[in-house]
Amino acid sequence: MSIFEFDELSIYRGRDVQITNKITIIQPTISQIEEFGEKNYFNAVHTLTSVGADLKWQLWDFYQIDYTKISDYDLFVKFTYQLISSKKRLYNELLKYPEKYENELSSLSKNDIDKMLINPLELILKNIDLADFTPMKLKNNTDSEEIILYDIENDITIDRFVYMQIVDAVRNIHGLKRNNQIPANERTKRDLIDDARDEAILSAKTPYKSILKPLVSTLSVYCGQCGDEKIWNMPISMFLDSIKRINKIQDSNALLQGAYSGFSNLKGIDKSRLDMFNDI
């Protein structure tokens, strides 16, 4: 469920989501995601929307931080925003002191430089690279200091409220839910951290498998080979919603057909499952 109110029909159609007058969430098509790199795109989406429970072992191993005691916003401004920034700042630093970094610069190929300048959020935040932002302390009305991210050149601020809207919109577009996993006790917490670490090590050794390929194939077959062009040009929210709608339609049809044929009893079945037009 969204914290903020969004126009669901506009999001489904693929419209931009205006957060502030300078911050806009955009929606790529399936074709644009394929061209940008599916793995890179979804890594950025999941990193942007990650919370402590998603990074439990990294927080503990590298910073000795208890993932249950760091807020989503503090995690973002202290750590995760850097993971979804380009390396533009690093490259500019090398150029600023060419004599000092002569060896580093000479070892960089054009391909290396191009990769450093890729903005991971290119298909998510319109014309915004988090590498342009700097953490700053801002005094609020309670005399306490809040950390914000500020782009001096373009006068763009990401504070706690803006961050929450951005993340909520991105989750809404992709049908994601916040990870609300809370351990029952300290032993469970340690086990969850260990399990997450083991899973990450295993995942790093496993070749990446496309998320979208089987979904594109399913939709193409289900709609009677409706044409590549139509599917590839779908905005991501419409595409993901269509896949979920297929499951809902099939579930509804199976229940109704079973009831009409006498092979199943609808007693005790959630009636919303019988309506293929319900919200997913």
Side-chain angles (χ1 to χ4, degrees):
M1 174 181 269
S2 294
I3 301 173
F4 302 95
E5 186 174 325
F6 299 107
D7 188 325
E8 293 184 4
L9 185 60
S10 292
I11 287 180
Y12 175 78
R13 188 177 181 183
R15 300 285 194 192
D16 294 346
V17 180
Q18 195 78 34
I19 304 298
T20 70
N21 63 336
K22 293 186 177 182
I23 299 177
T24 303
I25 307 295
I26 56 178
Q27 289 198 55
T29 63
I30 304 304
S31 177
Q32 289 172 322
I33 292 173
E34 183 273 328
E35 291 170 2
F36 181 73
E38 176 190 3
K39 180 180 179 181
N40 295 333
Y41 176 77
F42 282 111
N43 279 347
V45 168
H46 290 298
T47 302
L48 177 62
T49 58
S50 63
V51 298
D54 299 307
L55 300 171
K56 53 176 74 72
W57 74 270
Q58 294 95 328
L59 287 171
W60 183 254
D61 284 8
F62 300 128
Y63 307 105
Q64 288 72 58
I65 291 176
D66 182 337
Y67 75 90
T68 66
K69 296 180 180 178
I70 186 169
S71 73
D72 298 357
Y73 179 67
D74 287 342
L75 177 70
F76 173 71
V77 296
K78 291 178 180 178
F79 306 109
T80 57
Y81 94 91
Q82 300 175 62
L83 301 176
I84 41 177
S85 303
S86 74
K87 301 297 184 291
K88 178 167 59 178
R89 184 178 298 173
L90 173 60
Y91 181 60
N92 288 339
E93 181 72 12
L94 296 178
L95 292 179
K96 189 175 180 181
Y97 304 101
E99 295 181 358
K100 181 178 179 181
Y101 298 110
E102 181 179 357
N103 293 334
E104 288 83 351
L105 285 169
S106 62
S107 66
L108 290 175
S109 66
K110 183 180 183 306
N111 188 49
D112 292 331
I113 295 173
D114 289 342
K115 286 182 178 180
M116 292 180 75
L117 300 181
I118 290 175
N119 175 11
L121 297 178
E122 181 179 324
L123 300 185
I124 302 171
L125 285 174
K126 187 175 185 178
N127 300 325
I128 285 181
D129 182 349
L130 292 183
D132 298 326
F133 288 73
T134 303
M136 300 180 66
K137 289 184 178 180
L138 183 69
K139 277 200 171 184
N140 57 32
N141 294 332
T142 63
D143 291 330
S144 61
E145 293 182 333
E146 173 92 340
I147 298 177
I148 63 169
L149 295 182
Y150 184 59
D151 178 352
I152 299 175
E153 183 176 345
N154 299 297
D155 187 27
I156 305 175
T157 299
I158 298 179
D159 59 16
R160 188 180 299 270
F161 185 70
V162 170
Y163 158 79
M164 291 171 62
Q165 291 184 84
I166 290 173
V167 170
D168 203 33
V170 173
R171 287 192 183 125
N172 190 299
I173 288 168
H174 297 86
L176 300 174
K177 293 182 179 180
R178 184 186 183 278
N179 186 346
N180 294 318
Q181 183 187 70
I182 299 176
N185 50 53
E186 286 299 314
R187 175 60 186 272
T188 302
K189 184 192 299 182
R190 290 297 309 164
D191 288 343
L192 289 172
I193 290 173
D194 292 340
D195 289 345
R197 184 189 302 107
D198 292 343
E199 185 178 337
I201 293 172
L202 180 62
S203 178
K205 298 177 181 178
T206 305
Y208 179 76
K209 295 193 71 172
S210 172
I211 297 171
L212 292 178
K213 179 188 172 185
L215 302 182
V216 170
S217 175
T218 298
L219 186 57
S220 176
V221 172
Y222 189 83
C223 68
Q225 302 295 335
C226 57
D228 276 355
E229 200 64 27
K230 183 175 181 180
I231 294 175
W232 289 109
N233 286 323
M234 275 187 174
I236 185 64
S237 57
M238 181 184 290
F239 174 79
L240 294 175
D241 186 270
S242 297
I243 294 297
K244 292 177 182 177
R245 183 63 62 182
I246 289 174
N247 286 332
K248 185 160 183 61
I249 292 171
Q250 290 179 330
D251 183 51
S252 174
N253 286 340
L255 288 172
L256 291 172
Q257 288 172 7
Y260 292 148
S261 63
F263 288 107
S264 64
N265 188 341
L266 297 182
K267 185 178 180 180
I269 296 293
D270 184 350
K271 295 300 185 288
S272 66
R273 291 180 60 190
L274 305 178
D275 186 357
M276 67 179 69
F277 304 106
N278 264 348
D279 285 339
I280 300 170

